[in-house]
């Protein structure tokens, strides 16, 4: 019986053929899959059309037929419907002539039984007891003989033949494998009565197993192997091992094993080598291992298989990476399905945070998948794990999703609720419903601060800025500054400046200064007059930004510096000229600030009183000397000298510091005889050194001045001695004649002044030394003249 199955192994109805009375030896199918031929020991050859019956044939031979091969193009009309059969002869069968008579041609005989035939393209290969031969149908000639190179019995180890392509023949026989290629002779190599093609063996090797079947896999070989030595059991009985399906890389005289799989075939212990067969469909990389009880389908493991294995072994990340890299090759799996299976696995393992984090990578921009996963997290009360990763745009989910998450955190985690309210755009959810939910919980909360912050944020989203500001100021929360900046609420805080300063005076002052066009300085000062400390902080920074624009507040600043920051008072008094001196002095006198009083008295012109304060209150002679230097007042120096005469330390300081400003003799001559002055000798030596230095400097300056005078005089003389160019067309100002003439009889000497005015010598009065034109101009420019008046 011949059964026809699909590639999965299902029987095809009405496709069972009762063909022979004994064992079917071989089946052959044409390249188009339209016709099937079979042979048997009953001598019958049957050709059956799988889709049409008009070309069915039944031929009976007088001896058992061991092998058969259909012409690959048997399905084509006009090809002669050829096939070859093998017994002890190789016979070519075809229909020829007008009536389509059956014709048989013996192609080969005399070498024993022919047990395998393969027809590929123009070539027929067959195996007899002596070896393998190849017949060229295009020239109707034999082109090669490959001898049998082992002594195994051919009926127990049938030669396996497969055409890998139209010219490459694979041979597996016993423990020998050969790869043969049909090639053409060159034109010069062809001899008479010899075929014009030959066969070259490009790879051959010996194995440690018997070959039950052979098939191509790209440039490699798929081999169904049978172990040479079986397993011995009790009683001395030997049973066979499992058959193996191997992938080999062929070479000349050796091979490399790429893959080796043992096959679990039912009853393999009792089977022999010839009980196994290997067939293939190279285009689909499908391989069929046939045994007496099983047909095993093998195919190349693809990326779907690899991913299935990874998922079965819970290696989901590797599976996702493989799916991403080989997405075009996948037929069973998708990246999304693998990712969701991974999410389910993580949730089952209670790895909620990791599952939430991976949602972004796995779910991408698919809105429906996001909503489905969020509901899944909500059912197991794990929204907190996925909340940070919920998309807010592209995709934008249903508003009910966002409200569900917010309500969940409102009930369980108010801090996280506030964070989400700040982060999420307000258009994602219904603000009013969330506000109502917060108001409903405020009365029940013992510490409602976070909820009030959230409420303020939501009011800001609704542009109810007055309510939002009120809440933030009530909470004394620094986010109020962000709220004001973000929404430009500067016109709404003019009556809340003190509260803002209480909250953060640094941020408040910066905001007031940056927006003084909206919040005027007058309004701020009016508000801050209630708190002098805040007023000082504000005006101090304001005056650093704009001294001229804050003139009217300098008087206030004097009092504020005096009260809150005295180190800044004196620099401010020196820098500013816009405060009332008398008021400032009275403020400093009331607080007994001596240095400030000294400066103010000096600016007011009361230098004597200022010096007196320095000497009596400060007792600082260096300060006094500095003060006198700044004022450069002779009377002030006299007062200082008089005051210092009974104080030896002051005298020493004067002698050491005033040599360049007053005559030291004035000090020395007033020193009382017998007064002991510390460091007097050193001071006198310094005075003399300074005097000598002054003399040296004067002498050096004099020499430099003299040298410069001579140099300048020399330059002047050189300049005046230079020739002056006189143009040939230039006229004498007196006679209005050309200064130069070509006829020497009428030529005259010329007088040219340094002002470049030129005259004939005869036209000028005698003993003239100055230009008459320039002299007259100078006279006309005397005071009262017209030119002088115009100038």
């Amino acid at each position: 019986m011949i059964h026809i199955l699909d590639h999965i192994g299902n029987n095809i109805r009405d496709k069972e053929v009762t063909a022979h009375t004994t064992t079917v030896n071989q089946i052959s199918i044409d390249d188009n899959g339209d016709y099937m031929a079979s042979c048997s020991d009953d001598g019958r050859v049957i050709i059956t059309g799988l889709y049409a019956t008009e070309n069915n044939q039944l031929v009976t031979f007088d001896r058992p037929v061991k092998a058969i091969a259909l012409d690959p193009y048997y399905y084509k009309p006009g090809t002669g419907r050829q096939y070859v059969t093998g017994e002890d002869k190789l016979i070519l069968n075809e229909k020829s002539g007008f009536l389509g008579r059956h014709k048989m041609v013996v192609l080969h005989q005399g070498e024993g039984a022919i047990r395998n035939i393969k027809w590929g393209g123009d070539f027929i290969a067959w195996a007899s007891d002596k070896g393998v031969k190849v017949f060229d149908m295009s020239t109707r000639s034999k082109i090669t003989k490959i001898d049998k190179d082992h002594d195994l019995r051919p009926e127990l180890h049938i030669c396996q033949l497969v055409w890998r392509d139209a010219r490459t023949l694979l041979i597996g026989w016993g423990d020998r494998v050969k790869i043969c290629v049909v090639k053409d002779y060159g034109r010069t190599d062809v001899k008479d009565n010899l075929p014009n093609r030959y066969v070259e063996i490009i790879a051959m090797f010996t194995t440690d197993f018997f070959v039950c079947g052979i098939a191509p896999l790209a440039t490699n070989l798929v081999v169904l192997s049978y172990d040479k030595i079986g397993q011995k059991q009790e009683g001395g009985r030997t049973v066979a091992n499992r058959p193996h399906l191997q992938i080999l890389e062929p070479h000349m005289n050796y091979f490399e094993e790429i893959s080796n799989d043992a096959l679990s075939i039912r009853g393999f212990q009792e089977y022999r080598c010839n009980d196994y067969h290997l067939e293939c469909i190279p285009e689909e990389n499908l391989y069929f291992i046939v045994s007496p009880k099983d047909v095993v389908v093998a195919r190349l493991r693809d990326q779907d298989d690899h991913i299935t294995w990874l998922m079965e072994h819970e290696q989901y990340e590797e599976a996702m990476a493989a799916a991403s890299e080989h997405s075009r090759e996948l037929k069973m799996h998708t990246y999304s399905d693998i990712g969701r299976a991974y999410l389910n696995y993580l949730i089952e393992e209670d790895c909620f945070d990791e599952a939430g984090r991976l949602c972004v990578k796995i779910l991408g921009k698919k809105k429906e998948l996001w909503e489905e996963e969020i509901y899944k997290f909500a059912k197991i009360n794990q929204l907190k794990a996925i909340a940070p990763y919920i998309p807010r745009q592209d995709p934008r989910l249903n508003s009910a999703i966002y409200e569900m998450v917010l309500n969940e955190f409102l009930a369980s985690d108010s801090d996280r609720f506030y964070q989400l309210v700040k982060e999420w755009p307000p258009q994602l959810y219904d603000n009013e419903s969330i506000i109502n939910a917060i108001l409903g919980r405020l009365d029940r909360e013992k510490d409602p601060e976070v909820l009030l912050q959230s409420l303020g944020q939501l009011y800001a989203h609704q542009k109810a800025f007055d309510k939002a500001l009120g809440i933030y100021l009530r909470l004394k929360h620094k986010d109020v500054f962000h709220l004001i900046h973000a929404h430009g609420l500067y016109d709404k805080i003019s009556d809340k400046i003190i509260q803002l300063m209480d909250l953060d005076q640094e941020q408040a002052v910066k905001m007031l200064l940056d927006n003084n066009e909206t919040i005027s300085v007058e309004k701020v000062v009016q508000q801050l007059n209630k708190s002098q400390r805040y007023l000082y902080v504000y005006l101090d920074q304001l005056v650093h930004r704009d001294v001229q624009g804050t003139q009217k507040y300098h008087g206030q600043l004097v009092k504020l510096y005096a009260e809150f920051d005295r180190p800044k008072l004196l620099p401010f008094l020196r820098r500013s000229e816009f405060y009332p001196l008398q008021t400032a002095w009275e403020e400093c006198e009331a607080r007994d600030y001596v240095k400030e009083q000294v400066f103010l008295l000096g600016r007011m012109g009361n230098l004597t009183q200022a010096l007196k304060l320095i000497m009596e209150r400060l007792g600082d002679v260096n300060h006094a000397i500095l003060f006198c230097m700044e004022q450069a007042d002779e009377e002030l120096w006299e007062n200082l000298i008089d005051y210092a005469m009974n104080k030896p330390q002051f005298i020493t300081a004067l002698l050491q510091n005033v040599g360049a400003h007053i005559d030291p003799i004035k000090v020395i001559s007033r020193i009382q005889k017998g007064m002991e002055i510390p460091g007097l000798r050193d001071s006198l030596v310094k005075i003399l050194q300074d005097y000598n230095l002054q003399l040296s400097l004067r002498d050096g300056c004099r020499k430099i001045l003299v040298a410069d005078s001579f140099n300048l005089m020399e330059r002047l003389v050189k300049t005046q001695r230079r020739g002056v160019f006189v143009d040939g067309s230039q006229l004498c100002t007196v006679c209005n004649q050309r200064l130069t003439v070509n006829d020497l009889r009428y030529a005259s000497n010329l007088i040219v002044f340094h002002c470049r005015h030129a005259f004939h010598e005869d036209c000028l009065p005698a003993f003239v030394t100055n230009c008459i034109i320039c002299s007259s101009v100078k006279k006309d420019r005397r005071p009262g003249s017209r030119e002088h008046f115009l100038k």
Side-chain angles (χ1 to χ4, degrees):
M1 181 73 74
I2 297 174
H3 299 271
I4 300 178
L5 315 175
D6 62 18
H7 291 174
I8 304 176
N10 300 312
N11 278 306
I12 298 177
R13 185 179 299 174
D14 300 329
K15 291 296 182 181
E16 294 180 352
V17 181
T18 305
H20 303 280
T21 58
T22 60
T23 303
V24 177
N25 290 326
Q26 193 169 15
I27 294 174
S28 178
I29 303 174
D30 66 357
D31 281 357
N32 210 38
D34 290 344
Y35 292 91
M36 173 187 68
S38 62
C39 63
S40 172
D41 285 344
D42 61 6
R44 300 172 69 188
V45 171
I46 297 177
I47 299 176
T48 305
L50 300 179
Y51 308 105
T53 61
E54 58 269 16
N55 292 309
N56 288 0
Q57 294 187 48
L58 172 59
V59 180
T60 303
F61 292 82
D62 56 359
R63 59 182 59 84
V65 181
K66 298 295 184 180
I68 188 169
L70 275 179
D71 178 1
Y73 303 107
Y74 187 90
Y75 62 91
K76 288 187 177 181
T79 58
R81 308 292 183 183
Q82 297 174 325
Y83 61 93
V84 288
T85 56
E87 37 187 273
D88 56 350
K89 302 175 183 178
L90 181 69
I91 301 174
L92 173 64
N93 300 265
E94 59 182 336
K95 287 185 175 182
S96 62
F98 177 70
L99 299 176
R101 289 185 175 183
H102 181 257
K103 178 182 177 182
M104 293 189 293
V105 179
V106 176
L107 302 180
H108 178 76
Q109 62 182 342
E111 292 187 354
I114 296 172
R115 293 182 171 84
N116 195 3
I117 308 172
K118 293 295 179 181
W119 190 336
D122 291 334
F123 305 102
I124 301 172
W126 70 91
S128 65
D129 292 345
K130 301 296 184 180
V132 176
K133 289 183 173 57
V134 178
F135 188 85
D136 186 351
M137 286 294 293
S138 63
T139 60
R140 296 292 176 117
S141 62
K142 299 174 188 174
I143 60 174
T144 193
K145 176 185 178 183
I146 302 169
D147 292 332
K148 176 185 175 187
D149 53 359
H150 56 80
D151 54 2
L152 297 173
R153 292 171 59 185
E155 67 272 15
L156 298 180
H157 300 277
I158 296 176
C159 178
Q160 306 296 324
L161 301 173
V162 174
W163 287 100
R164 183 165 71 187
D165 53 44
R167 289 196 171 215
T168 305
L169 177 65
L170 309 180
I171 304 173
W173 198 352
D175 57 359
R176 311 297 169 89
V177 176
K178 297 180 178 68
I179 301 178
C180 308
V181 178
V182 179
K183 296 186 176 181
D184 295 328
Y185 282 113
R187 292 182 180 180
T188 58
D189 297 332
V190 177
K191 297 180 181 180
D192 294 339
N193 302 321
L194 290 177
N196 57 5
R197 289 172 176 158
Y198 67 97
V199 172
E200 178 183 341
I201 299 176
I202 61 172
M204 60 184 295
F205 51 85
T206 303
T207 65
D208 54 359
F209 51 79
F210 295 129
V211 177
C212 305
I214 190 169
L217 176 61
T219 59
N220 298 322
L221 301 177
V222 177
V223 176
L224 181 62
S225 63
Y226 184 90
D227 287 349
K228 291 182 178 180
I229 302 174
Q231 296 180 355
K232 288 188 177 180
Q233 294 186 344
E234 294 181 5
R237 181 170 174 263
T238 302
V239 297
N241 292 322
R242 297 174 186 271
H244 288 249
L245 189 67
Q246 302 184 42
I247 300 177
L248 308 180
E249 183 178 337
H251 300 278
M252 185 59 75
N253 298 323
Y254 73 97
F255 67 92
E256 294 181 17
E257 183 182 282
I258 297 174
S259 172
N260 190 342
D261 292 301
L263 304 177
S264 297
I265 303 293
R266 287 185 298 169
F268 66 88
Q269 298 90 343
E270 307 297 330
Y271 296 157
R272 294 177 297 175
C273 183
N274 279 355
D275 290 328
Y276 297 106
H277 302 276
L278 177 65
E279 295 291 339
C280 73
I281 303 176
E283 297 81 6
E284 300 181 19
N285 284 325
L286 276 176
Y287 300 86
F288 300 90
I289 299 101
V290 183
S291 71
K293 294 184 178 180
D294 292 307
V295 176
V296 179
V297 182
R299 60 181 173 85
L300 280 181
R301 189 181 69 178
D302 56 16
Q303 288 299 325
D304 281 310
D305 299 320
H306 178 53
I307 290 172
T308 299
W309 185 89
L310 290 173
M311 293 175 67
E312 288 173 353
H313 290 78
E314 298 177 354
Q315 298 179 22
Y316 289 97
E317 291 187 4
E318 291 83 349
M320 290 168 62
S324 178
E325 184 177 355
H326 305 282
S327 57
R328 294 185 178 180
E329 304 171 31
L330 299 181
K331 298 177 182 178
M332 295 171 51
H333 298 288
T334 64
Y335 183 87
S336 177
D337 291 341
I338 299 167
R340 297 190 70 190
Y342 187 24
L343 290 178
N344 293 334
Y345 167 76
L346 291 174
I347 290 172
E348 290 174 2
E349 297 295 320
D350 294 340
C351 300
F352 304 113
D353 292 334
E354 186 176 358
R357 178 175 54 81
L358 284 172
C359 282
V360 178
K361 181 179 179 181
I362 294 169
L363 305 180
K365 299 181 180 181
K366 298 176 181 177
K367 176 181 176 182
E368 295 77 10
L369 296 183
W370 269 106
E371 293 179 351
E372 185 178 337
E373 288 299 324
I374 292 171
Y375 281 123
K376 190 183 298 182
F377 275 79
K379 287 181 182 178
I380 56 176
N381 297 319
Q382 289 297 330
L383 280 175
K384 63 181 180 181
I386 197 174
Y389 312 105
I390 294 176
R392 306 162 196 176
Q393 189 69 31
D394 197 19
R396 179 174 169 180
L397 309 182
N398 194 305
S399 61
I401 296 289
Y402 300 105
E403 292 170 16
M404 176 182 70
V405 175
L406 288 173
N407 283 311
E408 171 70 20
F409 283 111
L410 177 61
S412 60
D413 188 347
S414 55
D415 289 326
R416 187 72 185 113
F417 172 77
Y418 175 54
Q419 194 68 26
L420 290 179
V421 168
K422 286 178 64 177
E423 292 176 359
W424 283 359
Q427 58 269 23
L428 294 180
Y429 52 88
D430 183 3
N431 278 257
E432 193 63 38
S433 65
I434 302 299
I435 288 173
N436 292 334
I438 294 175
L439 294 175
R441 290 189 61 87
L442 277 176
D443 296 335
R444 303 194 299 271
E445 287 289 326
K446 296 180 180 179
D447 185 10
E449 182 176 347
V450 177
L451 290 184
L452 286 172
Q453 293 175 22
S454 306
L455 188 60
Q457 189 70 43
L458 290 169
Y459 279 139
H461 291 335
Q462 285 191 327
K463 302 189 182 305
F465 298 120
D466 289 338
K467 293 182 179 180
L469 275 175
I471 290 175
Y472 278 120
L473 290 173
R474 171 186 167 187
L475 294 172
K476 296 185 177 180
H477 198 285
K478 293 186 178 182
D479 277 358
V480 67
F481 295 102
H482 174 73
L483 178 69
I484 295 169
H485 286 306
H487 302 287
L489 307 179
Y490 306 111
D491 57 339
K492 298 182 180 298
I493 61 170
S494 57
D495 58 342
K496 300 178 176 64
I497 295 174
I498 295 288
Q499 293 172 280
L500 293 171
M501 294 289 283
D502 287 339
L503 187 56
D504 187 333
Q505 66 179 23
E506 182 177 347
Q507 284 198 64
V509 169
K510 185 177 184 305
M511 179 183 67
L512 293 171
L513 294 177
D514 291 343
N515 300 276
N516 55 13
E517 293 181 359
T518 307
I519 314 167
S520 66
V521 176
E522 289 78 7
K523 285 185 179 180
V524 177
V525 172
Q526 183 182 358
Q527 282 270 312
L528 295 182
N529 273 327
K530 302 172 186 176
S531 173
Q532 292 296 299
R533 178 72 185 182
Y534 292 156
L535 181 62
Y536 153 70
V537 173
Y538 173 72
L539 289 178
D540 176 48
Q541 295 195 32
L542 180 63
V543 78
H544 278 88
R545 288 199 179 193
D546 183 11
V547 175
Q548 299 296 327
T550 57
Q551 297 176 9
K552 64 180 180 179
Y553 302 110
H554 286 199
Q556 281 182 278
L557 264 173
V558 171
K559 293 182 180 180
L560 294 170
Y561 280 132
E563 182 176 354
F564 298 109
D565 199 347
R566 184 186 173 186
K568 292 184 178 180
L569 176 58
L570 186 56
F572 175 72
L573 294 174
R574 294 179 184 277
R575 188 171 69 250
S576 174
E577 297 178 355
F578 307 111
Y579 53 85
L581 293 173
Q582 184 66 30
T583 305
W585 179 77
E586 289 173 358
E587 185 70 29
C588 294
E589 184 184 32
R591 297 178 183 278
D592 198 23
Y593 292 166
V594 180
K595 288 184 179 181
E596 289 79 359
Q597 289 183 66
V598 169
F599 173 77
L600 290 170
L601 288 171
R603 179 168 280 188
M604 294 165 68
N606 198 344
L607 304 179
T608 304
Q609 188 178 352
L611 182 62
K612 185 178 179 182
L613 277 175
I614 295 173
M615 303 301 290
E616 292 181 356
R617 297 292 304 278
L618 297 177
D620 187 348
V621 66
N622 291 320
H623 189 177
I625 293 170
L626 209 76
F627 180 74
C628 292
M629 289 179 182
E630 290 175 353
Q631 303 303 326
D633 187 288
E634 187 70 24
E635 184 180 352
L636 204 59
W637 281 112
E638 293 290 339
N639 293 337
L640 176 60
I641 294 170
D642 290 341
Y643 186 83
M645 283 299 102
N646 60 350
K647 298 178 178 60
Q649 297 290 343
F650 281 24
I651 294 173
T652 301
L654 282 171
L655 292 174
Q656 289 180 348
N657 293 287
V658 299
H661 300 278
I662 59 173
D663 188 356
I665 299 299
K666 289 184 179 181
V667 181
I668 296 171
S669 62
R670 297 188 189 185
I671 299 175
Q672 297 177 7
K673 292 183 179 181
M675 179 180 288
E676 186 175 342
I677 301 173
L680 176 61
R681 184 189 64 182
D682 295 338
S683 299
L684 294 175
V685 169
K686 186 176 183 300
I687 289 172
L688 293 174
Q689 289 176 342
D690 290 346
Y691 182 71
N692 287 331
L693 179 61
Q694 288 181 17
L695 290 178
S696 176
L697 288 173
R698 287 179 183 176
D699 185 54
C701 292
R702 183 182 60 77
K703 290 179 180 179
I704 292 170
L705 183 61
V706 170
D708 284 349
S709 299
F710 276 108
N711 290 334
L712 292 172
M713 177 60 70
E714 187 178 354
R715 286 175 59 188
L716 176 63
V717 171
K718 284 183 178 180
T719 302
Q720 291 182 346
R721 283 180 177 178
R722 286 179 182 173
V724 178
F725 176 76
V726 178
D727 191 357
S729 61
Q730 191 172 344
L731 301 178
C732 172
T733 311
V734 177
C735 65
N736 287 325
Q737 299 296 321
R738 293 179 63 176
L739 292 173
T740 59
V741 293
N742 295 327
D743 191 350
L744 295 178
R745 292 176 300 171
Y746 302 106
S748 172
N749 291 332
L750 302 179
I751 295 178
V752 182
F753 294 97
H754 290 294
C755 61
R756 303 303 176 95
H757 291 126
F759 305 89
H760 292 120
E761 184 180 19
D762 299 335
C763 296
L764 289 176
F767 309 109
V768 173
T769 59
N770 295 319
C771 173
I772 60 175
I773 296 175
C774 294
S775 298
S776 63
V777 170
K778 288 181 179 178
K779 289 178 181 178
D780 289 340
R781 288 181 178 174
R782 66 190 179 278
S785 66
R786 182 174 181 273
E787 287 80 0
H788 185 272
F789 176 77
L790 291 174
K791 184 178 179 182

